[in-house]
Structures are given as structure tokens and as C-alpha cells.
Amino acid sequence: MEAEEKKRSSNFIRDIIKKDLEDGKIEKVVTRFPPEPNGYLHIGHAKSININFGLASEFEGKCHLRFDDTNPSKEEQEYVDSIMEDIKWLGFSWGENLFFASNYFEQLYEWAIYLIKQGKAYVCDLTADEVREYRGTLTKPGKESPYRKRSVEENLELFEKMKNGEFPDGARTLRAKIDMSHPNLNMRDPIMYRILRATHHRTGDKWCIYPTYDYAHGQSDAIEGITHSICTLEFEDHRPLYDWFIDNLPLIHKPHQYEFARLNLNYTVLSKRKLLTLVTKGIVSGWDDPRMPTLAGYRRRGYTPQAIRKFCEQVGVAKANSVVDIAFLEDCLRDDLNKRAQRRMAVLKPVKVVIENYPDEKSEELEVSNNPEDESYGKRMVKFSKNIYIDRDDFAIDPPPKFFRLASGREVRLRNAYYFTCTDYKVDDKGEVIEIIGKIDPETRGGWSKDGRSPKVTIQWVNCEDALDAEIRLYDRLFLKENPEQVEEGKDFLDYLNPESLVVLKNCKIEPSLIHSKPGELYQFERVGYFILDKDSNKENLIFNRSVTLKDNWAKIKKKV
Ligand code: ATP
Ligand code: MG
């Protein structure tokens, strides 16, 4: 157990929960994951999910899924559905603990009346601009609103009228009466309610006043008996306000907020607003485009939940912001797929090879392993005959230094088959190689030689006669800039897009057994990378996505940029 604990990356929240349980401060840990249904979940959310659901399960507590749906103008059912699907896909379960902040609108409204009656909240008629102006700055205290001294009766009456729709949108707000010269700006009479006529995805047109995040969140935590309300660092400055509401309301359960550093990934944007822009401008094909850092995108790209969870676990939970290298995420996937993926042969840029010394009519079946790392994956039969395809890039007319693959007069190993020596080749009018001619050594069936000689390089191939055509989509980072969120003057984050983030190859040749591949099944195309069948694929038009290359070759590419 101790060794197990050491293996885990540091997580200060785990330590806090452990201590609270040991000290008897809490009996059971209750966390929550509170997404706003205004976009799809991304890899940053996966970190939060992993923390909240992960810690609850580790300490045999519960984790609630609570939709933080207090802003009807941007929220949609599509997002609610996708969020639930993604959490389940990651392997977590909220069981019966599915909640919506909108379920608490009635209770929150009553508590607002309570605060008014206590003289701790008031209706304010200042416009949004005026509220901002009156708030002051970090160095300048704020000014009290002229409406701050309204009587309890007047406030009660106006607040009811706000609720009943008697004022236009934005005309009035309900504000907490705290302290306009408080050093923390969040404490300068923050807004609790705003008037907004928008149809809510659950409450419809019942309400035209909506609580703010600050007013709704902690109270929702209190209602649900959350013990550890875990959020990202930008809410640290909101904690005094979180506590103020908790302390000034007649609550039985008093939750606490803890902040951790959000996940940032280089070459990636994680703000939902920016991700939405990519979708609405058609720069990507949708929220699940395999280049998107959304869980739906990663799933379609071929990421496994295991790889993402391992990544989240290994980056740890810290109090200081940092940026994680995307190469680390890719490595987590490689590690996982290396164990999991079946091996197949595929040729992305096919060129025909004619084996002169192989009989015209003959063909044979070779037995090959589905995963050399795990014999339980079994074996399959692969056909071999006189005409096969290899990759154009595996042949050179004038091999440069360090090019050990095929060239005239050279011998290579054809994976799982024979040693092959090139004797000749044909080119078209443009000088492009269109056919390679050569001989196999019949004594090397299976890909090894009794005399102990071994070619430097093994290349993959597919049999011409029964090979299938496929479209292969090669994905790369969506941005060329390491930090696309840091935009130079006069530029936009879209100026840093990688024009080669998607390269589509048609007429690739793949092994016939791949006709049986199912959505979600992952393959290693030997020497090429890891691939998954895309959802656009069908039996007539097979499409595979490259999940990740076999090695990290970005360092090389980056030098060219
Ligand atoms: P955005 O700021 O882009 O709108 P958000 O943080 O507001 O995103 P929410 O739906 O409110 O998105 O997030 C739900 C939960 O996920 C919150 O508790 C939030 O702190 C957490 N979260 C969001 N982004 C990250 C991230 N990059 N790393 C870790 N946790 C995150
Ligand atoms: Mg948020």
C-alpha cells in the first residue's frame, strides 16, 4: 500500500481529505463536478473529473454531477448529453447523484429574501457600466450605490417585481450588501441576481431573474452536503465571498472550497469560447473533430479513457499554474496502445513491387502475430504473392547517407514474409517510381534466415490482389505556436493555426482483415502509427484516423517552422 501511494503523483487535496477523515471532521467525502453546459468537455475538465470522481471513489465517498446551469443564454441540452456521455466514457459514474443548479432556483430565491430581510442584500438600479464604475479598482476603494440604503420593505417589493417580470432585462440587480471598500473586489457588493429573459433548457420561461455563479455555487454545495468543493485557482479570490454567503445564510451544512491549478497544454486552446469559435467558423468539423482537445475529439482520434486517466493522474494536483507538454499526453497514449492495439500492415503511399522469382499463379498464407507484446491477441493469416505494395518512402533511387531502406541491389526484410532484394525499378515521365522489381530468397520464409544473415531494415507490405483501399487521415497539432492563448498585438489566436493539422491520404492500401474493424477498435499499422476507424467510415469507403505516431517526431518538425 505504501509503495502504491508513493507511485502516485502528488495531490495536496488527497492529503486534506485524508486528514479530515482521520480527524473525524467528516464521515464521508462528498465532492462534485460542476460543468456549465455551454460546450463540450475538454482535457482540462478530465483533470477535474479525475480529481473529483477519483478522490470520492478512493475514499469510498460520493461525487455528484451537478450542471451549473445558471446562465440560460449559452446553455443547451446537446451539451448536457455530451457531458454525461464523456464522463461515462472516462469510466466514472455519478450513480443517482445527478443534479442541476436550476433545481435550486426556488430555494436560492427564498434565501435571497432572507438576506434582504437581514439587511444584507438590496435591489440596485445602477446600469452594468455604472456598477463597474462604482466598484473602484485594486488601488481605489469603491463608491456606495445610491440605492444601497433602500428599506427592507422596498427591497422586498422591488425584488418580487423583478421576479414577476415587471422590469426590462438589465434594469435592476440584487446585490449583497458587504463592503464597497473591501480590498477584495469580489466583496464590493457583488451581484446576486440579474434580470434576463431567456428560455432555460430546464425551467423554460418560468424565471426571468437568474442567480450569478457566486451566489448559486456555494449554496448548491451546501444543499447537496458537499464536503470538499474543488475548483480551479481563478476562484481563490472568490472564496471569501463563497464563505460570506455560507456564513450569512441559515445553513446546516457548511462546505469548503479548495483550489488547484488548472491544466494547461501547449499548442492547445482550452477556453470554451475559443473552442466554440473553431466550431462555428468551420475551422474544425465539429466539437468531436479529432484535432479538438475535447474528450469527444480525443475519443474519435483514438485516445483511450485509460490513457487520459493516466495522464491526469501523472500530471498531479498542484497549487501553482504550469503548462504541460502535449508530447506527454501523446506518450501516455502510445504507452497504452502499445499494450492494447492489434498489429496490422498498411501502406500509406503505395508503390507496386513485382517479385520476379515468384510463380505467377502462386499465393500462400503466412501466419502472423496480432500483438507481439501479448500472445493472447492470437494470430491471423496474411496472403503473399508475386505482386505486393510497399511504401514509396521506403525506396530511394539514390539513397542518401543513413537511408537503410530499399534501393537497387539492397536486401530488406518484408515483415513476416521473406528477404527481398531489389534488382530494378520503373519510373514515369516525371521520374516518379511506379514499380519496383526484385527477388525474394525462398529460404527465408517467415522473415528469418538459417544462415544468420539479417537485413538492416524490415518494411511492411500488403498483397496487391486482396488489399483494400482506404482513406487515411493524419492529424497533427492544431496550433503552431506553443502558447496560442498568448496573442500578439493585432493578431488573433486563429493566426497561429497549423495549416497541416489534417492531411488526408486517399488510395492507401491496407490488409483485407481490416474490413472487419469496428468503431473504437485500435490498431498499430506497423512502422506507421496507431489508427482507429473513423465514424465517417463505411464498408465501401474505409476511413482511418491516425491517433498518434509511433515516435514523437514533432521536435524535428518544429525546427522547420
Ligand atoms: P471556460 O472558462 O472555458 O468557460 P470553465 O472552467 O468555466 O471553462 P466549467 O464548465 O465551469 O468550465 O468547468 C467545470 C469544472 O471544470 C470547474 O470546476 C472548472 O474549475 C474545471 N475546469 C475547467 N477547466 C479546467 C482546466 N483547464 N483544468 C482543470 N480543471 C478545469
Ligand atoms: Mg466555469
Side-chain angles (χ1 to χ4, degrees):
M1 181 68 197
E2 236 168 65
E4 167 81 354
E5 264 176 37
K6 272 203 199 110
K7 256 195 320 198
R8 288 198 198 116
S9 305
S10 67
N11 177 341
F12 73 96
I13 298 175
R14 174 182 286 133
D15 302 338
I16 293 174
I17 294 178
K18 218 169 142 202
K19 185 154 190 310
D20 287 350
L21 284 164
E22 279 163 10
D23 294 352
K25 239 171 112 179
I26 55 164
E27 264 174 49
K28 217 177 182 142
V29 59
V30 186
T31 57
R32 88 285 169 266
F33 174 64
E36 186 181 349
N38 63 348
Y40 279 57
L41 295 181
H42 55 58
I43 187 80
H45 294 118
K47 176 172 174 178
S48 175
I49 292 169
N50 201 58
I51 295 171
N52 282 295
F53 282 94
L55 289 175
S57 108
E58 191 179 324
F59 293 102
E60 291 172 8
K62 306 189 282 180
C63 178
H64 295 184
L65 169 59
R66 183 199 313 143
F67 285 98
D68 176 15
D69 55 351
T70 53
N71 184 3
S73 53
K74 288 192 245 157
E75 294 162 3
E76 283 174 32
Q77 188 61 37
E78 177 195 348
Y79 298 137
V80 171
D81 296 339
S82 76
I83 288 169
M84 295 206 277
E85 185 186 349
D86 289 347
I87 297 173
K88 282 193 236 159
W89 175 72
L90 272 183
F92 294 109
S93 165
W94 54 88
E96 54 200 18
N97 300 302
L98 171 64
F99 301 100
F100 291 84
S102 55
N103 290 354
Y104 312 135
F105 282 172
E106 203 67 54
Q107 175 69 75
L108 292 168
Y109 178 74
E110 276 166 33
W111 278 335
I113 291 175
Y114 175 89
L115 288 175
I116 294 174
K117 287 183 177 161
Q118 301 282 311
K120 288 176 180 163
Y122 63 97
V123 173
C124 179
D125 303 1
L126 293 180
T127 63
D129 283 342
E130 287 166 337
V131 167
R132 211 169 302 124
E133 202 187 303
Y134 275 63
R135 186 174 293 133
T137 63
L138 280 174
T139 50
K140 208 175 87 193
K143 251 188 348 191
E144 291 191 353
S145 159
Y147 307 100
R148 202 176 197 261
K149 294 201 174 68
R150 272 184 170 145
S151 68
V152 168
E153 289 68 36
E154 194 186 356
N155 280 321
L156 286 173
E157 196 190 310
L158 286 171
F159 187 49
E160 189 171 356
K161 285 186 173 164
M162 271 172 69
K163 179 195 152 195
N164 291 341
E166 293 184 30
F167 307 121
D169 285 8
R172 287 184 161 92
T173 55
L174 183 75
R175 300 176 67 178
K177 197 190 277 186
I178 307 181
D179 180 357
M180 285 310 290
S181 50
H182 200 285
N184 181 336
L185 269 70
N186 293 308
M187 299 295 273
R188 294 185 186 170
D189 292 9
I191 290 173
M192 293 167 59
Y193 272 92
R194 55 215 188 286
I195 306 174
L196 180 65
R197 282 170 184 80
T199 304
H200 188 279
H201 75 119
R202 286 178 67 85
T203 57
D205 295 319
K206 174 158 187 238
W207 295 88
C208 67
I209 55 170
Y210 288 96
T212 54
Y213 171 90
D214 282 323
Y215 177 57
H217 201 83
Q219 281 53 261
S220 304
D221 287 340
I223 293 169
E224 292 177 19
I226 302 300
T227 56
H228 296 75
S229 178
I230 304 164
C231 62
T232 40
L233 273 184
E234 60 284 14
F235 292 100
E236 196 170 10
D237 286 348
H238 293 243
R239 182 160 21 102
L241 180 56
Y242 182 102
D243 291 341
W244 188 90
F245 284 124
I246 297 289
D247 289 340
N248 284 284
L249 284 167
L251 304 175
I252 303 160
H253 175 81
K254 293 183 186 284
H256 291 279
Q257 176 183 301
Y258 301 88
E259 307 88 18
F260 70 97
R262 64 194 296 127
L263 174 77
N264 300 300
L265 262 190
N266 59 10
Y267 302 102
T268 307
V269 297
L270 289 182
S271 122
K272 276 193 258 182
R273 192 177 51 78
K274 292 194 174 115
L275 295 177
L276 181 64
T277 306
L278 292 169
V279 174
T280 49
K281 290 203 169 196
I283 291 161
V284 294
S285 64
W287 284 97
D288 70 346
D289 185 296
R291 291 166 294 176
M292 289 284 271
T294 53
L295 296 182
Y298 285 121
R299 177 164 62 237
R300 187 168 167 196
R301 172 105 169 230
Y303 272 74
T304 58
Q306 293 87 344
I308 292 183
R309 283 166 67 164
K310 182 171 169 219
F311 169 78
C312 292
E313 194 59 35
Q314 300 217 333
V315 297
V317 182
K319 270 189 223 175
N321 277 316
S322 64
V323 181
V324 177
D325 194 336
I326 196 168
F328 180 57
L329 175 63
E330 290 166 354
D331 259 347
C332 289
L333 181 63
R334 267 185 213 108
D335 263 8
D336 191 51
L337 295 187
N338 185 37
K339 289 177 245 131
R340 205 181 289 282
Q342 298 225 12
R343 271 51 170 178
R344 291 292 183 270
M345 290 198 283
V347 170
L348 268 46
K349 296 180 209 153
V351 61
K352 192 172 160 189
V353 175
V354 177
I355 302 164
E356 284 178 310
N357 63 339
Y358 201 90
D360 285 355
E361 302 305 321
K362 185 181 165 181
S363 72
E364 63 190 302
E365 298 262 330
L366 300 164
E367 192 184 59
V368 305
S369 170
N370 285 331
N371 186 347
E373 305 266 323
D374 186 344
E375 283 309 311
S376 74
Y377 280 72
K379 296 192 186 301
R380 70 185 186 285
M381 301 310 285
V382 173
K383 211 177 201 180
F384 184 83
S385 66
K386 188 179 181 77
N387 297 317
I388 60 171
Y389 294 111
I390 66 164
D391 201 289
R392 243 189 288 133
D393 291 346
D394 281 334
F395 177 82
I397 298 176
D398 290 313
K402 292 194 188 145
F403 182 94
F404 300 116
R405 288 163 276 168
L406 202 58
S408 228
R410 282 210 194 154
E411 182 176 66
V412 296
R413 177 189 288 110
L414 297 173
R415 176 85 173 138
N416 300 312
Y418 293 95
Y419 292 5
F420 172 80
T421 305
C422 169
T423 53
D424 199 2
Y425 60 88
K426 288 185 190 159
V427 291
D428 64 11
D429 341 328
K430 291 187 217 104
E432 292 276 346
V433 177
I434 47 166
E435 194 175 298
I436 294 166
I437 300 143
K439 293 193 177 92
I440 54 156
D441 175 352
E443 295 300 312
T444 56
R445 190 173 194 271
W448 61 281
S449 156
K450 286 188 203 105
D451 66 10
R453 104 184 175 274
S454 178
K456 271 211 171 76
V457 170
T458 299
I459 64 175
Q460 84 281 13
W461 53 274
V462 289
N463 190 42
C464 286
E465 190 200 332
D466 57 348
L468 299 174
D469 281 323
E471 173 180 325
I472 291 190
R473 298 178 179 171
L474 304 177
Y475 298 99
D476 203 346
R477 294 158 196 200
L478 194 48
F479 293 94
L480 288 172
K481 192 172 186 283
E482 184 148 0
N483 182 359
E485 303 256 15
Q486 200 180 57
V487 177
E488 291 144 57
E489 219 186 295
K491 292 215 172 186
D492 184 84
F493 79 103
L494 297 175
D495 292 327
Y496 307 121
L497 285 166
N498 175 5
E500 285 168 28
S501 62
L502 169 60
V503 173
V504 178
L505 300 177
K506 305 248 186 194
N507 305 316
C508 303
K509 299 290 180 183
I510 62 175
E511 261 187 51
S513 65
L514 284 162
I515 193 82
H516 304 298
S517 48
K518 293 184 209 63
E521 253 174 20
L522 282 144
Y523 296 95
Q524 184 192 101
F525 290 174
E526 294 195 72
R527 298 182 65 237
V528 187
Y530 291 99
F531 291 81
I532 189 170
L533 193 75
D534 188 73
K535 70 169 192 190
D536 292 344
S537 183
N538 57 54
K539 292 266 183 277
E540 282 68 50
N541 185 23
L542 289 169
I543 303 172
F544 285 88
N545 295 324
R546 183 174 69 196
S547 316
V548 68
T549 52
L550 289 180
K551 288 194 208 105
D552 181 12
N553 48 16
W554 180 254
K556 261 190 309 198
I557 298 165
K558 206 162 53 172
K559 275 195 202 118
K560 282 199 275 175
V561 176

